[in-house]
């Protein structure tokens, strides 16, 4: 990571100078996925002036899966990203000196899901036995599937796993070439609807409803950068929370910010996708009571124990390495 130290030092000097002369600090942000509905709050934070109010100029780059941003942030290609915290835990076990941690939970209830079709015999977890499951190797939901299988007593050897690409995942299920797929609930469900699969034929097995205590995607930072730019990180997180607050208050109002960046998107479908994410993954009972961004330490400990069921840690797990609330306000960000 020595090459990153030089990058962080240069960026820290840039940030300091930016605040000193009144110009906005440029902060590249690595998203987890394409510019779809759940990305709208981040673009709203740009267009509604929340990043600007924090003295930041943010450029958002699309990702290729919920694991994608982790090495980008760890190596210093991006100072801030959005990624699956469970994959981050494993990454840090395998790369214990990597300067990366989570600083704000966004998907308090993870969208990891197995999505099947009732007409292909998939209505509950046990139906997966003897079936073909399509799973993209970099998929965050696929990374958690062994825990889902263990919690539900599935015979994994009886499930034929077909490695598939993200672009072909839903089409293969729509065409009946696989009986189920792994994916994010709000993404795969509406992609199938767009492909003409009847909604009453789609089975969504949200892993959090079937025994998983895991958290989902979080804002992650390079810890070297954050140590030298605490105000930048705190301001970034506040702007993100404001973007989500805007989206929750009026999902339709943030769609233009998304469509400006993805003109080919269907605004109605993406608004529905955003609403699904808000209802199922972001605005949970914990968030309503404790604010956005925070975690329950006991739940994170339970999640680590679940990860141990299917992953052999090389080092003793240390929850303090995986998440810090140092850049959050006490009690998180209120969304109501």
């Amino acid at each position: 990571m020595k090459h990153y130290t030089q990058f962080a030092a240069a960026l820290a000097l840039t940030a300091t100078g930016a605040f000193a002369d009144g110009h906005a600090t440029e902060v590249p942000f690595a998203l987890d996925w394409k510019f779809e509905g759940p990305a709208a709050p981040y673009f709203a934070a740009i267009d509604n002036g929340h990043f600007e109010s924090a003295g930041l100029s943010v450029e958002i780059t699309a990702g290729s899966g919920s694991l994608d941003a982790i090495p980008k942030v760890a190596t210093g290609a991006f100072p801030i990203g959005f990624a699956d915290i469970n994959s981050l835990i494993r990454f840090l076990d395998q790369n214990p000196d990597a300067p990366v941690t989570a600083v704000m939970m966004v998907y308090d209830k993870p969208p990891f899901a197995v999505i099947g079709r009732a007409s292909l015999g998939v209505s509950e977890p046990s139906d997966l036995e003897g079936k073909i499951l399509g799973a993209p190797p970099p998929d965050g939901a696929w990374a958690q599937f062994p825990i889902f299988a263990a919690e539900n007593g599935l015979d994994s050897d009886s499930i034929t796993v077909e490695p598939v690409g993200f672009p072909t995942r839903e089409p293969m299920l729509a065409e009946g070439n696989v009986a189920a797929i792994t994916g994010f609930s709000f993404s795969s469900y509406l992609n199938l609807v767009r492909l003409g699969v009847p909604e009453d034929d789609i089975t969504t097995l949200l892993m959090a409803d079937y025994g998983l205590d895991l958290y989902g995607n979080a804002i992650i930072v390079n810890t070297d950068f954050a140590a030298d730019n605490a105000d930048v990180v705190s301001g970034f997180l506040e702007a993100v929370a404001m973007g989500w607050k805007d989206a929750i208050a009026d999902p339709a109002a943030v769609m233009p910010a998304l469509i400006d960046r993805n003109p080919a998107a269907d605004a109605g479908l993406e608004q529905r996708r955003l609403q699904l994410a808000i209802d199922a993954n972001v605005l949970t009972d914990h968030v309503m009571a404790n604010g956005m961004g925070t975690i329950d330490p006991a739940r994170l400990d339970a999640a680590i124990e679940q990860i141990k069921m299917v992953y052999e840690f090389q080092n003793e797990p240390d929850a303090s390495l995986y998440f810090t609330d140092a850049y959050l306000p006490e009690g998180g960000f209120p969304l109501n």
Side-chain angles (χ1 to χ4, degrees):
M1 298 294 174
K2 288 183 179 179
H3 60 288
Y4 180 74
T5 303
Q6 297 174 342
F7 169 87
L11 196 52
L13 288 173
T14 301
T16 302
F19 280 112
D21 63 15
H23 291 91
T25 301
E26 295 184 2
V27 180
F29 177 46
L31 205 58
D32 62 328
W33 190 232
K34 297 178 288 186
F35 295 166
E36 295 182 341
Y42 307 106
F43 295 118
I46 294 175
D47 291 0
N48 294 347
H50 303 314
F51 284 123
E52 183 179 7
S53 295
L56 307 178
S57 175
V58 175
E59 181 177 355
I60 300 174
T61 300
S64 58
S66 55
L67 292 68
D68 184 56
I70 297 172
K72 290 178 179 177
V73 174
T75 58
F78 288 80
I80 303 180
F82 185 56
D84 167 37
I85 193 172
N86 309 287
S87 300
L88 175 66
I89 289 171
R90 300 185 194 200
F91 179 86
L92 284 170
D93 181 57
Q94 297 162 18
N95 303 274
D97 296 326
V100 57
T101 193
V103 291
M104 177 182 179
M105 186 55 59
V106 176
Y107 293 156
D108 183 68
K109 185 175 184 179
F112 310 132
V114 175
I115 302 93
R117 294 180 60 185
S119 61
L120 297 176
V122 177
S123 297
E124 57 186 46
S126 60
D127 294 334
L128 296 171
E129 296 182 347
K131 303 291 198 307
I132 300 176
L133 175 70
D139 179 37
W142 167 241
Q144 317 316 323
F145 182 80
I147 301 174
F148 171 80
E151 286 288 344
N152 291 277
L154 301 184
D155 178 6
S156 296
D157 291 338
S158 72
I159 302 171
T160 301
V161 178
E162 180 75 22
V164 298
F166 286 116
T168 60
R169 173 175 53 186
E170 288 85 13
M172 289 185 70
L173 180 55
E175 294 165 6
N177 295 323
V178 297
I181 57 176
T182 63
F184 275 18
S185 53
F186 50 71
S187 290
S188 291
Y189 182 89
L190 289 181
N191 289 347
L192 289 168
V193 171
R194 185 175 55 192
L195 290 170
V197 178
E199 294 194 41
D200 61 3
D201 189 32
I202 302 173
T203 299
T204 301
L205 304 175
L206 195 63
M207 294 183 187
D209 292 336
Y210 289 90
L212 267 70
D213 291 326
L214 307 181
Y215 280 101
N217 280 31
I219 304 295
I220 63 173
V221 300
N222 184 288
T223 54
D224 292 339
F225 172 82
D228 292 330
N229 298 278
D231 290 343
V232 171
V233 174
S234 295
F236 185 95
L237 299 185
E238 181 176 7
V240 165
M242 292 298 292
W244 274 102
K245 189 172 183 178
D246 292 345
I248 291 167
D250 190 350
V254 301
M255 278 301 108
L258 175 72
I259 300 303
D260 281 349
R261 279 79 175 186
N262 184 8
D266 180 323
L269 184 141
E270 295 309 331
Q271 181 179 330
R272 189 177 176 195
R273 198 191 308 273
L274 171 62
Q275 190 66 61
L276 288 173
I278 290 170
D279 293 343
N281 311 114
V282 176
L283 207 57
T284 64
D285 290 343
H286 173 84
V287 170
M288 292 298 292
N290 299 281
M292 184 182 193
T294 65
I295 64 165
D296 176 358
R299 180 179 162 194
L300 182 58
D301 288 341
I304 293 170
E305 290 302 312
Q306 282 197 322
I307 293 172
K308 284 182 178 179
M309 293 170 55
V310 298
Y311 174 78
E312 184 176 353
F313 279 87
Q314 301 174 17
N315 304 283
E316 184 62 27
D318 181 354
S320 68
L321 298 176
Y322 315 138
F323 185 91
T324 176
D325 61 3
Y327 306 97
L328 297 172
E330 186 175 354
F333 297 105
L335 294 180
N336 49 10

